[in-house]
């Protein structure tokens, strides 16, 4: 595998981005991997590597670069812990519009890298970033052919860029993995999401993972569920293979 950490120029500064792809067989389809709220860490880099080993050019950007933050370290479970409050502040500092600007910058950067294919691309977002992956597919309908939200949040809002609304603009196959127990995406929002996607004519699947909690795919989390995590990898790799290869 070939991997590197570099800065990508955006409208708002320099976004540190981890890029990993196979050494041979390129160019490889691009996968935009949007981080969750606890920020960049080795756990995410390992997940990016796992995706890359199946034949992709994976880009994992630090979405907190505007705040000068790279890594947050361990986040205590206590909601009153300063570290958790800081994480919530950082998450609140982002917007779909900002992340779409970052997405444009990543795709532009990749056009000059011979290891990256200029064909169909994919996107995946975990937690806070599920909404970003779906919006990326809506903003780049002719480029992003597969997008996944893994226990994503804010999937149904009253805003025009709500994922359940913009899905109709996407040509991509969309996949939504939902935890059975999720404070951030309650079960009573899952069926409305599924119906909204159907009404929008989106090519989408919404799947509930029984017995899981928000964060089940992250190995370092107490709620990690290995069988569910492996199922999510199976679904993700099949999604990308169907649409990008």
């Amino acid at each position: 595998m070939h991997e590197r950490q570099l800065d990508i120029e955006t409208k708002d500064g320099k976004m540190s981005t981890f890029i990993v792809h196979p050494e041979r067989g390129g160019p490889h389809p691009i996968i935009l991997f949007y981080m969750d709220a606890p920020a960049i860490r080795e756990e995410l880099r390992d997940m990016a590597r796992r995706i890359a080993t199946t034949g992709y050019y994976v880009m994992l950007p630090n979405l907190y670069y505007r705040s000068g933050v790279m890594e947050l370290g361990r986040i205590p479970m206590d909601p009153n812990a300063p570290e958790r409050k800081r994480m919530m502040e950082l998450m609140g500092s982002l917007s779909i519009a900002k992340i779409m600007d970052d997405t444009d910058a990543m795709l532009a950067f990749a056009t000059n890298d011979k290891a990256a294919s200029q064909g169909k691309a994919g996107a995946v977002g975990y937690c806070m970033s599920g909404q970003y992956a779906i919006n990326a597919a809506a903003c780049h309908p002719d480029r992003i052919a597969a997008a996944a939200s893994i226990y994503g949040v804010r999937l149904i809002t009253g805003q025009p860029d709500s994922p359940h609304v913009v899905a109709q603009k996407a040509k991509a196959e969309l996949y939504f993995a939902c935890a059975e127990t999720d404070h951030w995406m309650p079960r009573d929002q899952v069926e409305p999401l599924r119906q909204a996607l159907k009404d929008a004519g989106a090519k989408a699947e919404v799947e509930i993972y029984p017995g899981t909690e928000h964060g089940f795919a992250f190995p370092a989390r107490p709620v990690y569920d290995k069988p569910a995590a492996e199922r999510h990898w199976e679904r993700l790799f099949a999604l990308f293979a169907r649409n990008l290869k």
Side-chain angles (χ1 to χ4, degrees), residues 151 178-182 208-217 223-225 227-229 231:
Y151 36 81
C178 301
E180 183 174 35
T181 302
D182 194 337
I208 296 175
Y209 284 54
T212 62
E213 297 182 35
H214 183 89
F216 65 79
V223 297
Y224 176 62
D225 185 309
R231 184 184 305 120

mmCIF file of all heavy atoms in Angstrom, residues 151 178-182 208-217 223-225 227-229 231:
data_model
loop_
_atom_site.group_PDB
_atom_site.id
_atom_site.type_symbol
_atom_site.label_atom_id
_atom_site.label_comp_id
_atom_site.label_asym_id
_atom_site.label_seq_id
_atom_site.Cartn_x
_atom_site.Cartn_y
_atom_site.Cartn_z
ATOM 1 N N TYR A 151 -24.617 4.938 10.331
ATOM 2 C CA TYR A 151 -25.262 5.569 11.490
ATOM 3 C C TYR A 151 -25.138 7.094 11.439
ATOM 4 O O TYR A 151 -24.711 7.760 12.381
ATOM 5 C CB TYR A 151 -24.787 5.005 12.836
ATOM 6 C CG TYR A 151 -23.338 4.596 12.971
ATOM 7 C CD1 TYR A 151 -22.330 5.521 13.211
ATOM 8 C CD2 TYR A 151 -22.987 3.254 12.889
ATOM 9 C CE1 TYR A 151 -21.021 5.130 13.346
ATOM 10 C CE2 TYR A 151 -21.673 2.842 13.024
ATOM 11 C CZ TYR A 151 -20.695 3.784 13.256
ATOM 12 O OH TYR A 151 -19.384 3.405 13.401
ATOM 13 N N CYS A 178 -28.357 1.957 9.753
ATOM 14 C CA CYS A 178 -28.865 2.580 10.976
ATOM 15 C C CYS A 178 -28.752 1.616 12.147
ATOM 16 O O CYS A 178 -29.086 0.430 12.019
ATOM 17 C CB CYS A 178 -30.324 2.987 10.804
ATOM 18 S SG CYS A 178 -30.628 4.150 9.455
ATOM 19 N N ALA A 179 -28.282 2.124 13.273
ATOM 20 C CA ALA A 179 -28.234 1.310 14.485
ATOM 21 C C ALA A 179 -29.640 1.157 15.043
ATOM 22 O O ALA A 179 -30.484 2.046 14.907
ATOM 23 C CB ALA A 179 -27.323 1.966 15.524
ATOM 24 N N GLU A 180 -29.895 0.031 15.675
ATOM 25 C CA GLU A 180 -31.221 -0.183 16.255
ATOM 26 C C GLU A 180 -31.489 0.809 17.376
ATOM 27 O O GLU A 180 -32.599 1.332 17.517
ATOM 28 C CB GLU A 180 -31.345 -1.615 16.784
ATOM 29 C CG GLU A 180 -32.729 -1.918 17.333
ATOM 30 C CD GLU A 180 -32.897 -3.371 17.728
ATOM 31 O OE1 GLU A 180 -31.916 -3.984 18.204
ATOM 32 O OE2 GLU A 180 -34.009 -3.901 17.559
ATOM 33 N N THR A 181 -30.458 1.092 18.167
ATOM 34 C CA THR A 181 -30.567 2.070 19.246
ATOM 35 C C THR A 181 -29.617 3.218 18.951
ATOM 36 O O THR A 181 -28.405 3.036 18.928
ATOM 37 C CB THR A 181 -30.198 1.444 20.604
ATOM 38 O OG1 THR A 181 -31.058 0.322 20.853
ATOM 39 C CG2 THR A 181 -30.348 2.460 21.724
ATOM 40 N N ASP A 182 -30.185 4.387 18.691
ATOM 41 C CA ASP A 182 -29.359 5.529 18.310
ATOM 42 C C ASP A 182 -30.024 6.826 18.763
ATOM 43 O O ASP A 182 -31.018 7.261 18.195
ATOM 44 C CB ASP A 182 -29.150 5.551 16.795
ATOM 45 C CG ASP A 182 -28.040 6.503 16.361
ATOM 46 O OD1 ASP A 182 -27.730 7.440 17.120
ATOM 47 O OD2 ASP A 182 -27.491 6.313 15.259
ATOM 48 N N ILE A 208 -31.632 -1.402 9.046
ATOM 49 C CA ILE A 208 -31.440 -1.335 10.498
ATOM 50 C C ILE A 208 -30.612 -2.544 10.927
ATOM 51 O O ILE A 208 -30.908 -3.675 10.532
ATOM 52 C CB ILE A 208 -32.790 -1.338 11.235
ATOM 53 C CG1 ILE A 208 -33.587 -0.075 10.886
ATOM 54 C CG2 ILE A 208 -32.571 -1.437 12.751
ATOM 55 C CD1 ILE A 208 -34.989 -0.052 11.487
ATOM 56 N N TYR A 209 -29.593 -2.304 11.740
ATOM 57 C CA TYR A 209 -28.742 -3.372 12.236
ATOM 58 C C TYR A 209 -29.224 -3.786 13.627
ATOM 59 O O TYR A 209 -29.021 -3.049 14.601
ATOM 60 C CB TYR A 209 -27.290 -2.907 12.295
ATOM 61 C CG TYR A 209 -26.599 -2.851 10.944
ATOM 62 C CD1 TYR A 209 -27.137 -2.144 9.870
ATOM 63 C CD2 TYR A 209 -25.399 -3.527 10.730
ATOM 64 C CE1 TYR A 209 -26.511 -2.107 8.631
ATOM 65 C CE2 TYR A 209 -24.747 -3.496 9.496
ATOM 66 C CZ TYR A 209 -25.319 -2.780 8.454
ATOM 67 O OH TYR A 209 -24.692 -2.751 7.236
ATOM 68 N N PRO A 210 -29.878 -4.926 13.749
ATOM 69 C CA PRO A 210 -30.469 -5.353 15.021
ATOM 70 C C PRO A 210 -29.441 -5.475 16.149
ATOM 71 O O PRO A 210 -28.311 -5.924 15.936
ATOM 72 C CB PRO A 210 -31.076 -6.723 14.691
ATOM 73 C CG PRO A 210 -31.252 -6.714 13.210
ATOM 74 C CD PRO A 210 -30.104 -5.912 12.681
ATOM 75 N N GLY A 211 -29.855 -5.040 17.324
ATOM 76 C CA GLY A 211 -29.028 -5.201 18.513
ATOM 77 C C GLY A 211 -27.818 -4.308 18.592
ATOM 78 O O GLY A 211 -26.939 -4.524 19.431
ATOM 79 N N THR A 212 -27.749 -3.288 17.730
ATOM 80 C CA THR A 212 -26.573 -2.413 17.720
ATOM 81 C C THR A 212 -26.880 -1.035 18.280
ATOM 82 O O THR A 212 -28.037 -0.630 18.374
ATOM 83 C CB THR A 212 -26.028 -2.230 16.288
ATOM 84 O OG1 THR A 212 -27.040 -1.599 15.485
ATOM 85 C CG2 THR A 212 -25.657 -3.569 15.677
ATOM 86 N N GLU A 213 -25.813 -0.329 18.626
ATOM 87 C CA GLU A 213 -25.915 1.053 19.078
ATOM 88 C C GLU A 213 -25.062 1.940 18.173
ATOM 89 O O GLU A 213 -24.186 1.455 17.447
ATOM 90 C CB GLU A 213 -25.451 1.177 20.531
ATOM 91 C CG GLU A 213 -26.296 0.397 21.526
ATOM 92 C CD GLU A 213 -25.828 0.587 22.951
ATOM 93 O OE1 GLU A 213 -25.374 1.699 23.303
ATOM 94 O OE2 GLU A 213 -25.885 -0.398 23.726
ATOM 95 N N HIS A 214 -25.305 3.237 18.242
ATOM 96 C CA HIS A 214 -24.550 4.210 17.454
ATOM 97 C C HIS A 214 -23.050 3.998 17.660
ATOM 98 O O HIS A 214 -22.572 3.953 18.794
ATOM 99 C CB HIS A 214 -24.940 5.624 17.903
ATOM 100 C CG HIS A 214 -24.288 6.713 17.118
ATOM 101 N ND1 HIS A 214 -24.832 7.232 15.972
ATOM 102 C CD2 HIS A 214 -23.119 7.383 17.303
ATOM 103 C CE1 HIS A 214 -24.055 8.179 15.491
ATOM 104 N NE2 HIS A 214 -22.999 8.275 16.278
ATOM 105 N N GLY A 215 -22.315 3.849 16.574
ATOM 106 C CA GLY A 215 -20.869 3.655 16.676
ATOM 107 C C GLY A 215 -20.427 2.210 16.577
ATOM 108 O O GLY A 215 -19.235 1.918 16.765
ATOM 109 N N PHE A 216 -21.343 1.306 16.215
ATOM 110 C CA PHE A 216 -21.042 -0.129 16.272
ATOM 111 C C PHE A 216 -19.910 -0.581 15.357
ATOM 112 O O PHE A 216 -19.340 -1.647 15.561
ATOM 113 C CB PHE A 216 -22.299 -0.948 15.962
ATOM 114 C CG PHE A 216 -22.833 -0.796 14.560
ATOM 115 C CD1 PHE A 216 -22.253 -1.469 13.494
ATOM 116 C CD2 PHE A 216 -23.924 0.028 14.306
ATOM 117 C CE1 PHE A 216 -22.742 -1.336 12.203
ATOM 118 C CE2 PHE A 216 -24.431 0.171 13.009
ATOM 119 C CZ PHE A 216 -23.836 -0.516 11.965
ATOM 120 N N ALA A 217 -19.544 0.203 14.349
ATOM 121 C CA ALA A 217 -18.504 -0.238 13.403
ATOM 122 C C ALA A 217 -17.088 0.154 13.819
ATOM 123 O O ALA A 217 -16.123 -0.273 13.185
ATOM 124 C CB ALA A 217 -18.789 0.322 12.012
ATOM 125 N N VAL A 223 -19.206 0.087 22.231
ATOM 126 C CA VAL A 223 -20.393 -0.461 21.573
ATOM 127 C C VAL A 223 -20.043 -1.252 20.312
ATOM 128 O O VAL A 223 -20.941 -1.679 19.575
ATOM 129 C CB VAL A 223 -21.394 0.656 21.209
ATOM 130 C CG1 VAL A 223 -21.896 1.339 22.460
ATOM 131 C CG2 VAL A 223 -20.766 1.665 20.246
ATOM 132 N N TYR A 224 -18.769 -1.447 20.049
ATOM 133 C CA TYR A 224 -18.344 -2.184 18.855
ATOM 134 C C TYR A 224 -19.026 -3.548 18.803
ATOM 135 O O TYR A 224 -19.050 -4.298 19.784
ATOM 136 C CB TYR A 224 -16.835 -2.369 18.873
ATOM 137 C CG TYR A 224 -16.287 -3.209 17.733
ATOM 138 C CD1 TYR A 224 -16.440 -2.807 16.407
ATOM 139 C CD2 TYR A 224 -15.595 -4.399 17.993
ATOM 140 C CE1 TYR A 224 -15.924 -3.569 15.355
ATOM 141 C CE2 TYR A 224 -15.073 -5.158 16.952
ATOM 142 C CZ TYR A 224 -15.248 -4.741 15.638
ATOM 143 O OH TYR A 224 -14.738 -5.492 14.608
ATOM 144 N N ASP A 225 -19.592 -3.845 17.647
ATOM 145 C CA ASP A 225 -20.275 -5.121 17.415
ATOM 146 C C ASP A 225 -19.631 -5.746 16.193
ATOM 147 O O ASP A 225 -19.906 -5.335 15.061
ATOM 148 C CB ASP A 225 -21.774 -4.869 17.190
ATOM 149 C CG ASP A 225 -22.578 -6.137 17.054
ATOM 150 O OD1 ASP A 225 -22.196 -7.003 16.229
ATOM 151 O OD2 ASP A 225 -23.605 -6.271 17.747
ATOM 152 N N PRO A 227 -19.837 -8.674 14.452
ATOM 153 C CA PRO A 227 -20.651 -9.197 13.346
ATOM 154 C C PRO A 227 -21.333 -8.086 12.550
ATOM 155 O O PRO A 227 -21.373 -8.117 11.319
ATOM 156 C CB PRO A 227 -21.675 -10.095 14.047
ATOM 157 C CG PRO A 227 -20.993 -10.512 15.314
ATOM 158 C CD PRO A 227 -20.216 -9.298 15.735
ATOM 159 N N ALA A 228 -21.854 -7.070 13.242
ATOM 160 C CA ALA A 228 -22.509 -5.952 12.560
ATOM 161 C C ALA A 228 -21.488 -5.135 11.779
ATOM 162 O O ALA A 228 -21.761 -4.681 10.660
ATOM 163 C CB ALA A 228 -23.233 -5.063 13.570
ATOM 164 N N ALA A 229 -20.312 -4.939 12.367
ATOM 165 C CA ALA A 229 -19.270 -4.183 11.673
ATOM 166 C C ALA A 229 -18.859 -4.889 10.386
ATOM 167 O O ALA A 229 -18.693 -4.260 9.336
ATOM 168 C CB ALA A 229 -18.057 -4.005 12.584
ATOM 169 N N ARG A 231 -20.719 -6.925 8.685
ATOM 170 C CA ARG A 231 -21.834 -6.812 7.753
ATOM 171 C C ARG A 231 -21.779 -5.465 7.035
ATOM 172 O O ARG A 231 -22.023 -5.372 5.832
ATOM 173 C CB ARG A 231 -23.158 -6.961 8.478
ATOM 174 C CG ARG A 231 -24.378 -6.942 7.534
ATOM 175 C CD ARG A 231 -25.713 -6.992 8.275
ATOM 176 N NE ARG A 231 -25.768 -8.132 9.156
ATOM 177 C CZ ARG A 231 -25.931 -8.042 10.484
ATOM 178 N NH1 ARG A 231 -26.040 -6.871 11.057
ATOM 179 N NH2 ARG A 231 -25.978 -9.129 11.222
#
